[in-house]
Amino acid sequence: MCQYRIPGLSFRLTQKARVELRFENASLIYPPSVHALDSACLRVASGTCVAVVGPSGGGKTTLLRLAAGLLRPTTGTVCHGSRRASDIPPEGRGVAVAFQVPAIYPHLTAGENLAFPLRYHPLPAAEATRLLEDVAAAFGLSDLLSRKPHELSGGERQRVALGRCLVRRPAVLLLDEPLGQLDVPLRAAVRDAIFTRCRDRGTTVLWVTHDPAEAAAVGDRVVEVRKGRLSETPSGEV
């Protein structure tokens, strides 16, 4: 398993994030009466991972966008700790999101994309270098840092996007099919890298996947979203 403990980093990097994510009867309704999400109630305790499974169009990505504060619920609330997600300015949310199609800056190299969060959340130079080298090694990117996105495969771009999320050191990490474009041999290593880093920092994770086996492997709990409605998946039934 890849280890993310980086000797010498400051307390602000290694301290626990401790942010709980909550959906309280949250609904998103598109006119005239399409329930993309219907009265969702879900608590993701700080430092834990909830995996979300369900069919395409069932509401998984809607759940993720509400969690990020990118959408405002029609009714109900989505909270980060004691605050509504949509009421927190983007720069104050402490959230990192990796969508199914990796969104990285086309004019920047892989290394520059990886380091981008440090423009707004800087570290001392030596600490930043150690962090970037560690994340690059964990995601198999060390030899690709000088390449532009058009020179990378889909799986490599996805690893850059995921690595950038971890460089951000988020309190809440939202992942939409994060392993979907990776070759099978890479999936376990990347999953373990994400899992270990988040456990080490105490990051709260919402992990969306279509794969029940993946959900069972990563989630402390598993919930299913189908036709906009959430239901807890009993242990052993995913």
mmCIF file of all heavy atoms in Angstrom, residues 158-177:
data_model
loop_
_atom_site.group_PDB
_atom_site.id
_atom_site.type_symbol
_atom_site.label_atom_id
_atom_site.label_comp_id
_atom_site.label_asym_id
_atom_site.label_seq_id
_atom_site.Cartn_x
_atom_site.Cartn_y
_atom_site.Cartn_z
ATOM 1 N N GLN A 158 -6.523 11.402 -15.647
ATOM 2 C CA GLN A 158 -7.333 11.156 -14.462
ATOM 3 C C GLN A 158 -6.462 11.089 -13.209
ATOM 4 O O GLN A 158 -6.825 11.623 -12.152
ATOM 5 C CB GLN A 158 -8.133 9.860 -14.608
ATOM 6 C CG GLN A 158 -9.202 9.684 -13.540
ATOM 7 C CD GLN A 158 -10.212 8.629 -13.908
ATOM 8 O OE1 GLN A 158 -9.857 7.566 -14.418
ATOM 9 N NE2 GLN A 158 -11.479 8.895 -13.660
ATOM 10 N N ARG A 159 -5.292 10.484 -13.322
ATOM 11 C CA ARG A 159 -4.389 10.427 -12.173
ATOM 12 C C ARG A 159 -3.880 11.812 -11.792
ATOM 13 O O ARG A 159 -3.695 12.109 -10.611
ATOM 14 C CB ARG A 159 -3.225 9.475 -12.465
ATOM 15 C CG ARG A 159 -3.600 8.000 -12.296
ATOM 16 C CD ARG A 159 -2.396 7.116 -12.529
ATOM 17 N NE ARG A 159 -2.179 6.864 -13.936
ATOM 18 C CZ ARG A 159 -1.002 6.602 -14.482
ATOM 19 N NH1 ARG A 159 0.093 6.613 -13.739
ATOM 20 N NH2 ARG A 159 -0.889 6.360 -15.772
ATOM 21 N N VAL A 160 -3.647 12.668 -12.783
ATOM 22 C CA VAL A 160 -3.248 14.051 -12.483
ATOM 23 C C VAL A 160 -4.361 14.751 -11.708
ATOM 24 O O VAL A 160 -4.109 15.438 -10.708
ATOM 25 C CB VAL A 160 -2.911 14.825 -13.773
ATOM 26 C CG1 VAL A 160 -2.722 16.315 -13.479
ATOM 27 C CG2 VAL A 160 -1.660 14.259 -14.430
ATOM 28 N N ALA A 161 -5.598 14.593 -12.168
ATOM 29 C CA ALA A 161 -6.731 15.239 -11.494
ATOM 30 C C ALA A 161 -6.881 14.735 -10.064
ATOM 31 O O ALA A 161 -7.141 15.517 -9.140
ATOM 32 C CB ALA A 161 -8.012 15.001 -12.288
ATOM 33 N N LEU A 162 -6.700 13.437 -9.857
ATOM 34 C CA LEU A 162 -6.817 12.879 -8.516
ATOM 35 C C LEU A 162 -5.672 13.346 -7.626
ATOM 36 O O LEU A 162 -5.879 13.698 -6.458
ATOM 37 C CB LEU A 162 -6.836 11.350 -8.593
ATOM 38 C CG LEU A 162 -8.094 10.724 -9.193
ATOM 39 C CD1 LEU A 162 -7.875 9.244 -9.456
ATOM 40 C CD2 LEU A 162 -9.283 10.918 -8.259
ATOM 41 N N GLY A 163 -4.464 13.353 -8.186
ATOM 42 C CA GLY A 163 -3.319 13.824 -7.414
ATOM 43 C C GLY A 163 -3.470 15.273 -7.000
ATOM 44 O O GLY A 163 -3.121 15.658 -5.873
ATOM 45 N N ARG A 164 -4.002 16.090 -7.906
ATOM 46 C CA ARG A 164 -4.228 17.505 -7.587
ATOM 47 C C ARG A 164 -5.194 17.656 -6.420
ATOM 48 O O ARG A 164 -5.027 18.537 -5.568
ATOM 49 C CB ARG A 164 -4.749 18.237 -8.823
ATOM 50 C CG ARG A 164 -4.918 19.732 -8.640
ATOM 51 C CD ARG A 164 -5.367 20.388 -9.930
ATOM 52 N NE ARG A 164 -6.647 19.862 -10.380
ATOM 53 C CZ ARG A 164 -7.188 20.125 -11.580
ATOM 54 N NH1 ARG A 164 -6.535 20.902 -12.434
ATOM 55 N NH2 ARG A 164 -8.352 19.637 -11.905
ATOM 56 N N CYS A 165 -6.203 16.789 -6.353
ATOM 57 C CA CYS A 165 -7.136 16.829 -5.225
ATOM 58 C C CYS A 165 -6.412 16.600 -3.903
ATOM 59 O O CYS A 165 -6.701 17.259 -2.898
ATOM 60 C CB CYS A 165 -8.212 15.758 -5.399
ATOM 61 S SG CYS A 165 -9.481 16.149 -6.631
ATOM 62 N N LEU A 166 -5.476 15.673 -3.881
ATOM 63 C CA LEU A 166 -4.777 15.369 -2.643
ATOM 64 C C LEU A 166 -3.764 16.449 -2.281
ATOM 65 O O LEU A 166 -3.525 16.715 -1.096
ATOM 66 C CB LEU A 166 -4.105 14.007 -2.739
ATOM 67 C CG LEU A 166 -5.069 12.824 -2.859
ATOM 68 C CD1 LEU A 166 -4.314 11.513 -2.796
ATOM 69 C CD2 LEU A 166 -6.134 12.865 -1.777
ATOM 70 N N VAL A 167 -3.151 17.075 -3.292
ATOM 71 C CA VAL A 167 -2.270 18.208 -3.024
ATOM 72 C C VAL A 167 -3.067 19.332 -2.369
ATOM 73 O O VAL A 167 -2.548 20.068 -1.527
ATOM 74 C CB VAL A 167 -1.586 18.680 -4.321
ATOM 75 C CG1 VAL A 167 -0.881 20.020 -4.122
ATOM 76 C CG2 VAL A 167 -0.584 17.628 -4.816
ATOM 77 N N ARG A 168 -4.325 19.448 -2.713
ATOM 78 C CA ARG A 168 -5.219 20.466 -2.125
ATOM 79 C C ARG A 168 -5.406 20.260 -0.622
ATOM 80 O O ARG A 168 -5.743 21.186 0.089
ATOM 81 C CB ARG A 168 -6.569 20.401 -2.858
ATOM 82 C CG ARG A 168 -7.717 21.189 -2.270
ATOM 83 C CD ARG A 168 -7.530 22.674 -2.434
ATOM 84 N NE ARG A 168 -8.708 23.401 -2.012
ATOM 85 C CZ ARG A 168 -9.007 23.715 -0.753
ATOM 86 N NH1 ARG A 168 -8.205 23.340 0.224
ATOM 87 N NH2 ARG A 168 -10.100 24.392 -0.462
ATOM 88 N N ARG A 169 -5.218 19.026 -0.126
ATOM 89 C CA ARG A 169 -5.386 18.666 1.284
ATOM 90 C C ARG A 169 -6.800 19.050 1.762
ATOM 91 O O ARG A 169 -6.970 19.826 2.700
ATOM 92 C CB ARG A 169 -4.313 19.332 2.162
ATOM 93 C CG ARG A 169 -2.898 19.069 1.689
ATOM 94 C CD ARG A 169 -1.830 19.662 2.565
ATOM 95 N NE ARG A 169 -1.998 21.065 2.870
ATOM 96 C CZ ARG A 169 -1.717 22.073 2.044
ATOM 97 N NH1 ARG A 169 -1.239 21.823 0.836
ATOM 98 N NH2 ARG A 169 -1.898 23.315 2.407
ATOM 99 N N PRO A 170 -7.831 18.493 1.119
ATOM 100 C CA PRO A 170 -9.196 18.944 1.422
ATOM 101 C C PRO A 170 -9.726 18.369 2.723
ATOM 102 O O PRO A 170 -9.295 17.315 3.194
ATOM 103 C CB PRO A 170 -9.989 18.388 0.238
ATOM 104 C CG PRO A 170 -9.268 17.123 -0.118
ATOM 105 C CD PRO A 170 -7.812 17.434 0.087
ATOM 106 N N ALA A 171 -10.696 19.062 3.282
ATOM 107 C CA ALA A 171 -11.455 18.514 4.401
ATOM 108 C C ALA A 171 -12.502 17.531 3.896
ATOM 109 O O ALA A 171 -12.827 16.550 4.572
ATOM 110 C CB ALA A 171 -12.128 19.636 5.183
ATOM 111 N N VAL A 172 -13.048 17.801 2.703
ATOM 112 C CA VAL A 172 -14.049 16.939 2.071
ATOM 113 C C VAL A 172 -13.573 16.620 0.656
ATOM 114 O O VAL A 172 -13.247 17.527 -0.117
ATOM 115 C CB VAL A 172 -15.437 17.618 2.020
ATOM 116 C CG1 VAL A 172 -16.447 16.737 1.294
ATOM 117 C CG2 VAL A 172 -15.927 17.948 3.429
ATOM 118 N N LEU A 173 -13.549 15.340 0.331
ATOM 119 C CA LEU A 173 -13.127 14.887 -0.999
ATOM 120 C C LEU A 173 -14.311 14.206 -1.679
ATOM 121 O O LEU A 173 -14.903 13.270 -1.132
ATOM 122 C CB LEU A 173 -11.958 13.911 -0.882
ATOM 123 C CG LEU A 173 -11.411 13.315 -2.188
ATOM 124 C CD1 LEU A 173 -10.895 14.408 -3.116
ATOM 125 C CD2 LEU A 173 -10.317 12.300 -1.889
ATOM 126 N N LEU A 174 -14.650 14.689 -2.887
ATOM 127 C CA LEU A 174 -15.790 14.173 -3.648
ATOM 128 C C LEU A 174 -15.270 13.567 -4.940
ATOM 129 O O LEU A 174 -14.636 14.252 -5.744
ATOM 130 C CB LEU A 174 -16.773 15.309 -3.941
ATOM 131 C CG LEU A 174 -17.241 16.105 -2.709
ATOM 132 C CD1 LEU A 174 -18.050 17.317 -3.142
ATOM 133 C CD2 LEU A 174 -18.056 15.221 -1.780
ATOM 134 N N LEU A 175 -15.552 12.277 -5.136
ATOM 135 C CA LEU A 175 -14.984 11.539 -6.255
ATOM 136 C C LEU A 175 -16.093 10.906 -7.086
ATOM 137 O O LEU A 175 -16.927 10.167 -6.561
ATOM 138 C CB LEU A 175 -14.045 10.438 -5.743
ATOM 139 C CG LEU A 175 -12.866 10.910 -4.882
ATOM 140 C CD1 LEU A 175 -12.123 9.710 -4.316
ATOM 141 C CD2 LEU A 175 -11.926 11.797 -5.691
ATOM 142 N N ASP A 176 -16.098 11.202 -8.386
ATOM 143 C CA ASP A 176 -17.102 10.679 -9.313
ATOM 144 C C ASP A 176 -16.426 9.691 -10.252
ATOM 145 O O ASP A 176 -15.716 10.095 -11.169
ATOM 146 C CB ASP A 176 -17.730 11.835 -10.105
ATOM 147 C CG ASP A 176 -18.950 11.392 -10.898
ATOM 148 O OD1 ASP A 176 -19.290 10.191 -10.871
ATOM 149 O OD2 ASP A 176 -19.573 12.258 -11.548
ATOM 150 N N GLU A 177 -16.627 8.397 -10.000
ATOM 151 C CA GLU A 177 -16.003 7.343 -10.810
ATOM 152 C C GLU A 177 -14.496 7.598 -10.956
ATOM 153 O O GLU A 177 -13.960 7.660 -12.077
ATOM 154 C CB GLU A 177 -16.659 7.277 -12.195
ATOM 155 C CG GLU A 177 -18.148 7.021 -12.182
ATOM 156 C CD GLU A 177 -18.501 5.553 -11.965
ATOM 157 O OE1 GLU A 177 -17.587 4.745 -11.754
ATOM 158 O OE2 GLU A 177 -19.700 5.239 -11.978
#
